[in-house]
Amino acid sequence: MAKVTLKDVAAAAGVGAVERALRPVFWVGHELSNATRGYLKEDLMTIVLDQAPEVQARRAIDLTFKRLGLIDPEPVRFLTVTAESL
């Protein structure tokens, strides 16, 4: 799980409060944390795109190799999390 800052938590909490008041909203979050996990379970957040550092590193290497003409990389796949997949 990625490092989550107080700013991230505060921003997500603000969106969560607005979300509760303005249903229905399709809310896409980023980074799976305790807060976003809770929002998914409460059916407030629709989906979380979780960044995997190893995928980002692999992508950087792939793009370098592509620039050198060595490979034609496949598209990056995102790790998606929904309430059903928790």
Side-chain angles (χ1 to χ4, degrees):
M1 199 170 350
K3 180 180 178 184
V4 178
T5 66
L6 184 57
K7 182 179 176 183
D8 296 329
V9 173
V15 174
V18 171
E19 166 81 10
R20 286 182 185 96
L22 300 177
R23 293 294 286 163
V25 172
F26 189 88
W27 182 13
V28 178
H30 73 286
E31 299 301 334
L32 186 61
S33 66
N34 290 336
T36 56
R37 185 179 286 108
Y39 296 140
L40 286 169
K41 288 180 179 178
E42 290 180 61
D43 198 29
L44 295 174
M45 186 175 283
T46 309
I47 194 167
V48 171
L49 302 177
D50 199 30
Q51 298 177 15
E54 61 278 0
V55 173
Q56 293 176 3
R58 180 76 241 175
R59 183 65 175 161
I61 292 167
D62 286 351
L63 290 174
T64 301
F65 286 164
K66 179 181 180 177
R67 181 75 173 157
L68 295 171
L70 300 174
I71 65 169
D72 188 20
E74 297 200 15
V76 172
R77 306 239 188 281
F78 290 98
L79 174 60
T80 56
V81 183
T82 62
E84 294 82 17
S85 66
L86 289 176

